[in-house]
Amino acid sequence: MTQLPQSTERKLGLVIDLDTCVGCHACVIACKGWNTENYGAPLSDQRPYGDEPMGTFLNRVHSYEVQPEGGAAQTVHFPKSCLHCEDAPCVTVCPTGASYKRVEDGIVLVNESHCIGCGLCAWACPYGAREMDQAEGVMKKCTLCVDRIYNDTLPEEDRVPACVRTCPAGARHFGDFADPESNVSRLSAERGGMDLMPELGTAPVNKYLPPRPKDSWDEDSVLAPFLEPVVSDAGGFLGWLDKQLSRLPGDTHREER
Amino acid sequence: MASQPKLDLSTKVSDEIRQTTCYMCACRCGINVHMKDGKVAYIEGNRDHPVNQGVLCAKGSAGIMQVNAPSRLRAPLKRVGPRGSGEFEEIGWDEALEMAAGWLEPIRRTAPEKLAFFTGRDQSQSFTSFWAQNFGTPNYAAHGGFCSVNMAAGGIYTMGGAFWEFGQPDWDHTKLFMLFGVAEDHDSNPIKMGIGKIKARGAKVIGVNPVRSGYNAVADEWVAITPGTDGLFILSLVHELMKAGKIDLDYLSRYTNAPALIDPETGLLLRDGDDKVLVIDTVTGALTPFDQKGVRPSLSATHEAEGKTYVTVMAKMAEKYLDPQYAPEAVAERTGIPAAKIRKIAAELARVAFDESFELDRSWTDFRGETHDKMIGRPVSMHSMRGVSAHSNGFQTCRALHVLQILLGTVEVPGGFRFKPPYPKPIEAHPTPHCKATPDSPLDGPHLGFVRGPEHLALKEDGSPARIDKAFTWENPMSAHGLMHMVISNAHAGDPYKIDTLFMYMANMSWNSTMNTSGVIKMLTDQDETGDYVIPHIIYSDAYSSEMVAYADLILPDTTYLERHDCISLLDRPICEADGAADAIRWPVVEPDRDVRGFQTALIQLANLMKLPGFTNEAGEAKWSDYADYIVNHERKPGIGPLAGFRGESGDQVGRGAVNPDQLDRYIENGSFFVHHVPEEASYYKPWNSAYQDWAVELGLFDAPQPYLFQLYSEPMRKFQRAAEGHGERQPPEHLRERVRATMDPLPFWYPPFEDDRVDTSEFDVHALTQRPMAMYHSWGTQNAWLRQLHGTNPLYVPTKLWEKHGFQEGDWAHVTSAHGTITVPVAHQAALNENTVWTWNAIGKRKGAWALSEDAPEARTGFLLNHLIHELLPPKGDGLRWANSDPITGQAAWFDLRVKIEKTDAPAGDQAQPAFPALKSPVGKGPNELQWQVGETE
Amino acid sequence: MHPATSVILFTTLSGVGFGFLAWLGVDPSPPTGLGAFWAFTLAFGLAVGGLIASTFHLGHPERAWRAFSQWRSSWLSREAICAVAALLVMAVYAAALIFAGRHLPLAGWIGAALSLLTVFTTSMIYGQLKTIPRWNTPLTSALFLSYALTGGALLSGRITAAVMLLVITALLQFTWWRRGDSALAESGSTLGTATRLSDRGTVRSVAHPHSSPNYLMREFIHVIGRKHAQKLRIIALLLTAALPILILVFIPAPTVALALAALIHLAGVATARWLFFAEAEHTVGLYYGLR
């Protein structure tokens, strides 16, 4: 049913830390591997060994540059997958009811056996989170690994999305945003979690932590702490050394000055 | 609301999990291979594994596409067309091995050095070197020489251990992490995990790199250094720190050779009759061996004897580094780093090391018998890899970096840099090189090692190089990893001699693993006046249809990493962490569906065919039938074998113990790895910590405790320098004398990269670099169907200044010209880049016909190699000599010295990057046009 | 947006088909017998043909029946229902005219309303999308309805109405383009809001996630065709309005004039529809640094 639930019991989603992501694409491929083998049709690849290879991916990492006024440019790696919006426009446009937002946890899913592959949901999504599988003709999207997070056959610590489990830098966090005490709610609150394109009113559940301020040492206004010279030449250094060494006690205490 | 579909959310993920070790790169993480219907269904990280603790990178997760790649070789191949044509005939293994033995056996019996056996990206070097040693050839090495030997040798000569994967920052305690150069290619997951830990705490990362990509993207402070000037920058930091007295005097006094006394005549250190370094004790004022109980070595004392005044290494360093040539203002222009920023970084290093120092409440006892009740943290850590090392001044730069760490007292202390077993290990614990080839006999010892002076050079009696790659000669005396990049060039030139058979493994020497690709292709196919190939026989082993396959006469097809036995051994390059010794295995989680054999098994079978000495028992029978047999049953020393875990008949012995026939099963039960933890009191100060030394002896890492001092002053280097000054029996030839004297400075210094002296730097005013993307390691595997979608093209990234200067637009092309050649390539704009540097992803460019790719694949069309611009020799200077484009100390290939000029040009026809080569005939055909991969029953 | 042939055909043909049906429904003296047969065959042929063409871009057309279920939220579902309802009602209306020679004005008016409602629902499929600011305006519905009525007027032989509607459509189309050209900028969505990085500097895409174009880029970013957009706009206006008007005014034979004008107009509509898609910028393009 493509009407959105009034509210969901939980709001499961991701926090993605842009200050930590090194752009290694581990999440992209773990997602590809898991979702090729699990929920729904495999994620196909067209021309996998040819010109313009094109596969279905549910998570992709962009690379951006930010050029501050006058300072050094910054590089930001930017993973992007479904944000499981509270007001998900992709759901309401679906003519068949294949797209839906789960009442119990807010995950936006596609029921592939009802999907006619019209592509309208992908058009309605501002973020490029939905991709039509070219071999299967159905819409694919991030399931938040719904077949992992509740899976009794997996050890409890593995009941997280594949991208979160694999992220080497720990830049991805999974949890319930409806619970203000959850890891994701707290991280988002502490580090200023952001919505993408808030002006579109989609109310994304996933939050992005902004990169911390960078290159503050380049700013002339910041006074560099001055390393007070104790000597100016080698001879002076040895004299200073003598003085220091005579102050070094014989045991474990250290003094560097 | 209508009801939602009911989902079965607890479907079984797989029939079975088989745990083995990843080999999508040299990181070697533990993986859970999920199997369905006997096939690989999904790969994830093993949470219990010491290396990756459950995480896995893009490469690891894409392993399924590697195991099923269409480019996999299917059977041994015999060349039937001319070399380079790619025309082969599939043959059986018996024929293949007999063919190889037919070439090798005669040279073994007459002149074993006529075999050059170089094993590329091999990680079983303790085994392959054993094979080569028993064959008797001195010509063996892996690929370290063109990779990062400067980093390895610089670390080992200075502090008895290196970065690579042999050490790690103390991620849990460090407060400032400083990263030099491109480092994404080794120890990849542990470093990413470490950066994650640092970031979670909000600690700072400084990135020193001309390119702000990868780890440098998350660096809080970016230092956009000019390539090749890292040494200058580091020594400027040293200058500032020494001038401000912000160095750890206690640490320097106790644990380094800073208090050692230098003989003013010889430049060697003052030693006693037992060859122990002597110091002046501050307590007694007496000259005494450094390691005596209660001795507090003086950093500033002088010693008068025989009319000579001995001064300390520390004094020598003060003299050298307080010189104004290292002042921030003096180096700012050359390094491209403002003086104020250098000062700020020095100040921060000092502040964090000393003002944010902390104590761990752990007592420990040092080698002098002194017990310390606390471990004192210096929470500054550093890491570096190829970036700073792949320069002709790389060795001295790596040394400088370690000297900086040591001056701050941040090595092997809480919050600093920590070694992983089997390191730390002094130079004295390493073998020296051996090169004496005797017909029908094994070599006189291990090939590679660490020279202590000219007496260990691999020279023949007439002074000519004993090795085909000229490792351990005056051209590069400390070439601990050999010089794989010089083998084909030297063999072709017959310099120092001709060879008969070139035998290589996992090294794409006709493409991206070589400098001067076109030239090397010519050398591989060159014929003499009689029509014979100049390099008569070439045997190559690879699992995939790489570019090199076409240039061999005989191909021994290897398996993929999930189809084989391997051991990641403490005798070799293990998977240890700072808190534990660990090793691991691979085992065939799937059986090959092709007529292929693991390379090591093929080597054993070849050895058995030739009845090589170490492989044959006294009764003349083969000792081992395959690699698994060798892994379990080989003993390097009694009780010590390739694997340290589950030894002894009942499998309960660690490190030392009898052969356990069930050892591999025990490993498999344990997730294919074994870990033995370092006791808490042994976890820091390892080179000097008695508890660690005893633990290491017990484990069999070495036979007796071997505490040592960090070598700020490198005596081995001084010995070479002294020879160049005219002392001793072995002295460099005249044309090298001045270079050896200048570069073998026992204290780190900086000199401009050699290429700068040979080309007009105002014409070739741009630095050109490469790096591998994190999602695609060295191209030792195939073009993976998933990963090649991430990086299937490689533009030349151009900084804003040059972008605007040349009026480039997106989609434009450029001629890039070096002293050696020109390439025509697509360009892209990158602002976060040193303003005089361009770069591209390495080894994305592929030759048409290779890797089972279609000929219009982007890799073979717009993809390109920078290798065409880099020669293995420096531009000639008119003396008729061949000067290697390598570090003069270690022979490390100086990839990153490259200087180019760029100019805008029209896109070539068909957007075909230049130079383009004719397509190779594929021995495996082409990959399918669509993949809809799913194994097992679909739900 | 990728200008898919199936969708251009669909909106062009069924638009004019339903427009024609609407005119037939409200005609106080509609044709009967054979005349009605040919008229309704053409109208149904266009409407149904368009609808069939629209299924060509479906991944699973055999499940198309499911599209009737979500009328409460989905304009596409509403369109499916309206289209079928319109066709059914008009089928009764047509059958009465063809076979019984009877005129059922109420059925005609209801059928006409449903036909226009169908065109409106089609327009809302596009007009509702906030992700494509160029489309996200009530003008899109006005434009679609205007095109449908114009084409219908031409086919139903109403020269005066057709000329007036041609002028209105041309003005609407022109206005729609003008508004559209600044729509993305005025929507406020930028790479800066897409990444939320704009507070620290100018954001640009330095590398796409994958080095070859993916589904999203092929579907949402159509850079190549836009190079000729201005020329195509002139051609579209000439074909949709200027030439048909000239033909209707200056060619004396009304049947020939109407047929020629209708054909040229349809070609114009197809051109305008190609531009409708090809020029549309989706917010996904922002993430790729492209439009």
Side-chain angles (χ1 to χ4, degrees):
Chain A
M1 173 44 88
T2 59
Q3 279 178 299
L4 291 165
Q6 289 292 318
S7 65
T8 59
E9 291 154 37
R10 299 203 290 161
K11 287 203 283 179
L12 297 185
L14 303 175
V15 162
I16 293 164
D17 184 352
L18 298 180
D19 191 57
T20 301
C21 175
V22 296
C24 73
H25 294 265
C27 53
V28 175
I29 304 294
C31 167
K32 177 88 172 174
W34 177 261
N35 287 296
T36 285
E37 191 57 31
N38 292 285
Y39 186 94
L43 305 179
S44 68
D45 299 285
Q46 284 63 47
R47 302 170 298 283
Y49 303 100
D51 190 19
E52 298 206 340
M54 181 179 104
T56 310
F57 284 80
L58 309 184
N59 177 29
R60 295 178 185 262
V61 179
H62 292 256
S63 302
Y64 298 111
E65 271 191 342
V66 185
Q67 178 68 65
E69 197 91 14
Q74 300 167 19
T75 306
V76 181
H77 297 293
F78 198 99
K80 191 160 56 62
S81 54
C82 174
L83 308 171
H84 298 280
C85 302
E86 288 186 66
D87 199 355
C90 57
V91 169
T92 50
V93 299
C94 176
T96 69
S99 276
Y100 63 106
K101 186 168 173 73
R102 284 160 53 92
V103 180
E104 56 271 51
D105 51 22
I107 296 176
V108 175
L109 277 186
V110 174
N111 175 357
E112 289 179 14
S113 60
H114 285 197
C115 175
I116 58 174
C118 69
L120 187 56
C121 53
W123 292 18
C125 170
Y127 308 106
R130 288 172 169 250
E131 301 196 11
M132 180 88 79
D133 187 82
Q134 302 297 301
E136 193 65 22
V138 296
M139 194 55 72
K140 304 292 298 188
K141 70 175 292 299
C142 162
T143 67
L144 214 59
C145 284
V146 68
D147 48 357
R148 291 182 64 90
I149 59 176
Y150 299 110
N151 197 325
D152 297 337
T153 72
L154 289 175
E156 198 165 337
E157 72 264 28
D158 280 350
R159 292 180 207 158
V160 293
C163 58
V164 174
R165 187 193 188 285
T166 213
C167 177
R172 304 175 73 90
H173 306 267
F174 166 70
D176 179 10
F177 287 90
D179 171 7
E181 290 307 306
S182 70
N183 59 334
V184 287
S185 297
R186 291 223 308 270
L187 259 175
S188 182
E190 283 163 20
R191 303 263 310 275
M194 308 182 296
D195 289 347
L196 304 187
M197 286 199 269
E199 69 276 11
L200 292 177
T202 51
V205 171
N206 286 8
K207 303 290 179 213
Y208 283 77
L209 304 183
R212 293 184 172 101
K214 290 190 194 298
D215 303 323
S216 59
W217 297 353
D218 289 343
E219 285 170 29
D220 295 336
S221 59
V222 179
L223 271 182
F226 191 56
L227 271 185
E228 187 83 51
V230 293
V231 294
S232 58
D233 59 19
F237 182 81
L238 291 176
W240 168 82
L241 211 52
D242 267 341
K243 238 173 20 203
Q244 297 305 309
L245 291 170
S246 63
R247 287 165 51 189
L248 275 183
D251 201 345
T252 61
H253 181 74
R254 299 252 194 94
E255 189 164 301
E256 60 280 357
R257 267 170 284 244
Chain B
M1 288 296 298
S3 61
Q4 299 173 167
K6 282 211 170 26
L7 301 177
D8 177 4
L9 297 179
S10 284
T11 50
K12 225 169 105 216
V13 172
S14 53
D15 307 331
E16 185 194 352
I17 295 173
R18 296 186 174 172
Q19 294 182 308
T20 183
T21 306
C22 188
Y23 202 11
M24 294 293 287
C25 77
C27 192
R28 300 156 305 168
C29 297
I31 49 173
N32 299 336
V33 182
H34 288 263
M35 307 292 297
K36 271 189 190 172
D37 294 351
K39 292 183 184 138
V40 177
Y42 177 63
I43 300 174
E44 66 186 358
N46 176 354
R47 282 191 187 273
D48 302 323
H49 200 274
V51 171
N52 57 317
Q53 297 163 33
V55 308
L56 197 62
C57 74
K59 295 161 288 178
S61 295
I64 185 169
M65 289 291 115
Q66 209 81 353
V67 180
N68 295 293
S71 57
R72 288 168 305 161
L73 298 172
R74 296 167 189 149
L77 299 171
K78 180 171 83 174
R79 179 172 61 80
V80 293
R83 253 193 217 158
S85 66
E87 284 169 42
F88 288 99
E89 179 185 293
E90 291 195 351
I91 57 173
W93 274 96
D94 288 347
E95 188 183 344
L97 293 173
E98 272 160 27
M99 196 171 184
W103 295 337
L104 295 175
E105 184 61 9
I107 55 178
R108 186 178 84 82
R109 294 198 179 280
T110 55
E113 71 277 8
K114 290 202 173 295
L115 166 66
F117 180 52
F118 283 77
T119 59
R121 280 155 183 140
D122 172 25
Q123 301 257 318
S124 56
Q125 292 166 39
S126 77
F127 167 75
T128 52
S129 65
F130 179 76
W131 190 96
Q133 211 177 308
N134 279 291
F135 184 91
T137 180
N139 294 320
Y140 163 84
H143 84 287
F146 69 69
C147 182
S148 211
V149 62
N150 275 337
M151 206 79 248
I156 288 169
Y157 273 106
T158 309
M159 54 184 199
F163 292 134
W164 292 53
E165 68 265 26
F166 303 131
Q168 66 189 46
D170 187 5
W171 299 113
D172 291 324
H173 297 107
T174 197
K175 294 175 184 171
L176 180 61
F177 175 53
M178 193 167 182
L179 181 66
F180 290 83
V182 56
E184 280 80 353
D185 47 0
H186 279 257
D187 213 23
S188 71
N189 281 330
I191 291 176
K192 283 178 254 172
M193 290 155 71
I195 289 175
K197 279 186 179 175
I198 290 180
K199 285 284 180 178
R201 292 201 297 274
K204 276 229 173 199
V205 177
I206 305 176
V208 183
N209 195 323
V211 188
R212 196 174 207 175
S213 64
Y215 303 160
N216 282 272
V218 301
D220 299 282
E221 299 294 334
W222 176 48
V223 182
I225 193 165
T226 300
T229 66
D230 304 78
L232 199 52
F233 167 57
I234 292 164
L235 292 176
S236 187
L237 295 174
V238 167
H239 172 90
E240 283 296 287
L241 290 167
M242 285 185 77
K243 202 163 131 190
K246 297 285 187 183
I247 55 177
D248 192 336
L249 297 177
D250 187 52
Y251 183 94
L252 291 166
S253 150
R254 288 172 185 272
Y255 309 128
T256 76
N257 69 5
L261 296 159
I262 301 171
D263 182 325
E265 273 173 16
T266 63
L268 299 175
L269 302 181
L270 186 60
R271 292 171 183 271
D272 68 4
D274 295 331
D275 212 27
K276 274 193 186 163
V277 165
L278 293 169
V279 295
I280 302 287
D281 184 3
T282 49
V283 184
T284 62
L287 193 62
T288 171
F290 75 97
D291 60 351
Q292 301 301 297
K293 188 167 175 131
V295 167
R296 296 303 318 277
S298 167
L299 292 172
S300 57
T302 53
H303 175 66
E304 306 281 344
E306 297 155 17
K308 293 188 284 190
T309 304
Y310 293 74
V311 300
T312 61
V313 166
M314 194 77 242
K316 196 95 176 164
M317 288 176 70
E319 191 186 318
K320 192 174 186 98
Y321 301 123
L322 289 174
D323 189 286
Q325 65 169 309
Y326 294 115
E329 282 73 14
V331 309
E333 194 189 333
R334 188 125 212 181
T335 58
I337 311 166
K341 186 150 185 170
I342 298 174
R343 288 223 159 77
K344 171 73 183 172
I345 292 169
E348 281 297 315
L349 290 173
R351 187 186 63 76
V352 177
F354 301 116
D355 295 356
E356 295 200 27
S357 175
F358 61 95
E359 292 175 342
L360 290 185
D361 216 5
R362 289 184 206 172
S363 80
W364 67 285
T365 303
D366 70 25
F367 64 98
R368 293 188 179 97
E370 195 172 317
T371 299
H372 309 253
D373 54 9
K374 296 217 167 26
M375 293 183 172
I376 298 174
R378 295 264 178 264
V380 170
S381 59
M382 299 184 188
H383 182 76
S384 179
M385 257 318 280
R386 281 193 72 197
V388 306
S389 70
H391 288 287
S392 53
N393 60 14
F395 181 82
Q396 287 287 16
T397 297
C398 295
R399 286 247 311 135
L401 177 48
H402 296 313
V403 165
L404 171 65
Q405 290 178 287
I406 293 167
L407 286 173
L408 287 166
T410 64
V411 181
E412 270 297 326
V413 298
F417 171 79
R418 307 175 70 191
F419 293 118
K420 302 177 184 180
Y423 297 94
K425 196 157 111 172
I427 284 294
E428 293 70 31
H430 289 268
T432 54
H434 293 77
C435 62
K436 189 168 167 24
T438 312
D440 203 11
S441 300
L443 198 72
D444 58 340
H447 304 84
L448 303 176
F450 288 80
V451 296
R452 283 44 138 178
E455 67 277 21
H456 293 134
L457 290 178
L459 300 176
K460 290 187 187 165
E461 276 169 22
D462 63 359
S464 69
R467 290 173 57 104
I468 187 71
D469 59 357
K470 304 191 192 177
F472 311 112
T473 66
W474 289 105
E475 287 189 30
N476 27 245
M478 300 166 98
S479 36
H481 289 178
L483 282 80
M484 189 169 187
H485 54 295
M486 296 305 295
V487 172
I488 293 171
S489 176
N490 290 355
H492 176 260
D495 172 19
Y497 48 77
K498 296 254 177 211
I499 61 162
D500 177 83
T501 300
L502 177 65
F503 188 0
M504 290 200 165
Y505 174 50
M506 273 177 110
N508 208 8
M509 298 306 285
S510 68
W511 198 246
N512 57 280
S513 298
T514 194
M515 295 169 152
N516 183 20
T517 301
S518 323
V520 167
I521 288 175
K522 283 200 198 84
M523 295 172 199
L524 290 169
T525 51
D526 197 19
Q527 291 162 316
D528 61 20
E529 55 284 353
T530 62
D532 293 331
Y533 287 112
V534 173
I535 300 173
H537 300 115
I538 301 179
I539 307 173
Y540 184 54
S541 177
D542 199 325
Y544 304 98
S545 171
S546 65
E547 284 89 351
M548 184 59 200
V549 166
Y551 293 92
D553 308 315
L554 173 65
I555 302 293
L556 303 177
D558 194 10
T559 65
T560 71
Y561 73 110
L562 294 183
E563 300 167 318
R564 62 185 296 126
H565 278 105
D566 261 327
C567 70
I568 296 96
S569 168
L570 283 168
L571 304 177
D572 202 325
R573 289 173 67 171
I575 54 159
C576 304
E577 289 296 299
D579 286 318
D583 60 13
I585 64 157
R586 278 182 207 103
W587 57 289
V589 299
V590 283
E591 287 298 330
D593 55 358
R594 308 162 319 284
D595 192 15
V596 298
R597 292 180 188 172
F599 175 64
Q600 293 78 1
T601 289
L603 272 189
I604 287 172
Q605 292 168 345
L606 191 54
N608 293 344
L609 213 55
M610 294 188 284
K611 294 194 181 298
L612 289 192
F615 289 77
T616 312
N617 66 19
E618 279 135 29
E621 294 155 343
K623 287 191 193 169
W624 312 293
S625 60
D626 60 19
Y627 194 37
D629 191 359
Y630 167 90
I631 293 170
V632 172
N633 293 306
H634 171 67
E635 286 180 285
R636 197 47 65 96
K637 285 188 265 190
I640 293 186
L643 293 172
F646 311 108
R647 297 197 70 84
E649 271 156 36
S650 52
D652 55 358
Q653 282 171 271
V654 173
R656 299 170 189 269
V659 164
N660 170 12
D662 298 327
Q663 196 179 27
L664 290 179
D665 289 338
R666 296 294 302 277
Y667 266 82
I668 292 168
E669 284 162 26
N670 197 51
S672 286
F673 68 92
F674 169 78
V675 60
H676 183 58
H677 292 287
V678 176
E680 213 179 48
E681 71 272 22
S683 53
Y684 296 95
Y685 305 98
K686 286 170 183 160
W688 323 291
N689 184 325
S690 305
Y692 176 79
Q693 296 285 323
D694 294 344
W695 178 86
V697 169
E698 202 181 312
L699 183 61
L701 296 181
F702 26 89
D703 290 332
Q706 46 186 11
Y708 63 94
L709 299 176
F710 284 168
Q711 308 289 298
L712 294 168
Y713 186 88
S714 173
E715 227 181 352
M717 297 184 74
R718 174 57 201 156
K719 287 179 182 166
F720 285 104
Q721 190 181 44
R722 193 167 138 74
E725 287 166 2
H727 299 276
E729 275 177 33
R730 274 186 168 175
Q731 292 184 24
E734 287 316 309
H735 71 279
L736 289 168
R737 190 178 287 276
E738 177 49 29
R739 190 173 88 169
V740 172
R741 197 203 56 73
T743 58
M744 281 291 184
D745 192 323
L747 285 175
F749 78 114
W750 183 84
Y751 53 93
F754 285 165
E755 182 154 333
D756 288 12
D757 292 340
R758 299 287 181 94
V759 305
D760 178 355
T761 54
S762 60
E763 182 188 3
F764 298 98
D765 55 351
V766 177
H767 300 268
L769 303 175
T770 62
Q771 60 174 327
R772 266 310 255 176
M774 271 185 274
M776 294 169 104
Y777 190 54
H778 296 335
S779 65
W780 66 21
T782 185
Q783 275 308 82
N784 184 294
W786 292 348
L787 301 178
R788 72 181 284 264
Q789 294 185 55
L790 304 174
H791 302 286
T793 56
N794 59 312
L796 185 80
Y797 287 102
V798 176
T800 308
K801 187 182 94 176
L802 297 175
W803 188 260
E804 288 168 357
K805 178 181 154 195
H806 294 279
F808 283 125
Q809 302 280 316
E810 289 299 327
D812 276 351
W813 287 65
H815 285 316
V816 184
T817 304
S818 71
H820 175 52
T822 296
I823 57 176
T824 309
V825 303
V827 293
H829 176 210
Q830 185 180 17
L833 182 54
N834 172 285
E835 62 175 20
N836 296 313
T837 301
V838 296
W839 73 280
T840 191
W841 296 120
N842 186 28
I844 298 296
K846 300 294 175 201
R847 178 134 173 213
K848 290 183 198 297
W851 306 105
L853 297 179
S854 69
E855 287 178 15
D856 60 358
E859 293 93 329
R861 210 156 36 76
T862 62
F864 68 93
L865 297 179
L866 221 51
N867 305 52
H868 299 298
L869 300 181
I870 309 172
H871 204 284
E872 75 275 13
L873 300 175
L874 288 169
K877 62 174 179 182
D879 55 7
L881 295 165
R882 298 166 74 242
W883 294 88
N885 182 12
S886 303
D887 185 286
I889 299 168
T890 63
Q892 154 128 31
W895 300 96
F896 296 159
D897 282 1
L898 178 63
R899 278 180 168 273
V900 299
K901 56 181 173 184
I902 56 175
E903 59 179 322
K904 192 170 156 177
T905 184
D906 293 335
D911 282 353
Q912 176 65 56
Q914 302 292 328
F917 295 82
L920 296 168
K921 190 164 177 285
S922 170
V924 294
K926 300 281 176 244
N929 203 35
E930 183 165 79
L931 281 179
Q932 223 187 346
W933 198 266
Q934 206 166 41
V935 301
E937 262 176 65
T938 51
E939 298 298 332
Chain C
M1 299 295 288
H2 169 63
T5 315
S6 62
V7 184
I8 293 171
L9 275 179
F10 156 58
T11 58
T12 305
L13 298 182
S14 62
V16 72
F18 281 111
F20 190 10
L21 284 175
W23 281 113
L24 287 167
V26 299
D27 194 338
S29 55
T32 55
L34 200 59
F37 174 78
W38 287 119
F40 280 103
T41 301
L42 181 59
F44 275 95
L46 288 166
V48 175
L51 288 171
I52 289 172
S54 78
T55 63
F56 292 163
H57 90 284
L58 296 183
H60 282 275
E62 78 282 4
R63 298 176 190 155
W65 59 272
R66 292 191 183 275
F68 295 104
S69 63
Q70 304 302 315
W71 52 271
R72 274 175 295 193
S73 72
S74 166
W75 282 106
L76 182 48
S77 186
R78 289 168 192 162
E79 182 208 39
I81 290 164
C82 282
V84 170
L87 291 174
L88 284 176
V89 173
M90 286 310 286
V92 172
Y93 178 72
L97 286 170
I98 296 165
F99 301 113
R102 278 191 61 190
H103 181 209
L104 306 174
L106 183 63
W109 277 93
I110 292 172
L114 285 169
S115 294
L116 291 181
L117 198 58
T118 304
V119 175
F120 176 70
T121 56
T122 306
S123 73
M124 283 307 289
I125 293 172
Y126 307 109
Q128 70 175 332
L129 295 173
K130 286 188 189 167
T131 50
I132 305 169
R134 190 182 283 275
W135 294 353
N136 189 218
T137 163
L139 277 180
T140 300
S141 296
L143 186 67
F144 271 58
L145 284 167
S146 177
Y147 269 118
L149 287 170
T150 309
L154 282 170
L155 292 180
S156 60
R158 290 170 166 79
I159 292 180
T160 319
V163 170
M164 285 166 62
L165 280 164
L166 282 167
V167 173
I168 292 171
T169 301
L171 286 172
L172 260 176
Q173 178 67 76
F174 184 75
T175 314
W176 190 88
W177 278 333
R178 281 208 51 177
R179 180 206 162 271
D181 288 345
S182 58
L184 179 63
E186 277 169 23
S187 76
S189 291
T190 61
L191 181 53
T193 67
T195 58
R196 300 299 305 279
L197 296 169
S198 52
D199 57 337
R200 54 197 72 213
T202 314
V203 191
R204 63 179 277 270
S205 167
V206 72
H208 291 160
H210 291 62
S211 54
S212 289
N214 58 32
Y215 160 77
L216 298 167
M217 296 175 72
R218 286 166 191 264
E219 186 76 358
F220 298 128
I221 302 164
H222 191 76
V223 179
I224 300 158
R226 290 192 202 134
K227 275 193 284 193
H228 308 295
Q230 286 309 320
K231 264 180 266 170
L232 283 169
R233 281 184 181 184
I234 294 166
I235 292 170
L237 276 183
L238 280 175
L239 294 176
T240 44
L243 280 176
I245 292 172
L246 288 177
I247 288 165
L248 292 178
V249 172
F250 292 106
I251 294 184
T255 320
V256 175
L258 280 166
L260 199 58
L263 267 178
I264 291 173
H265 172 75
L266 267 185
V269 176
T271 312
R273 283 295 144 79
W274 187 90
L275 281 168
F276 178 82
F277 290 100
E279 287 194 280
E281 306 95 336
H282 194 285
T283 52
V284 165
L286 297 172
Y287 283 103
Y288 289 85
L290 297 166
R291 293 175 57 180

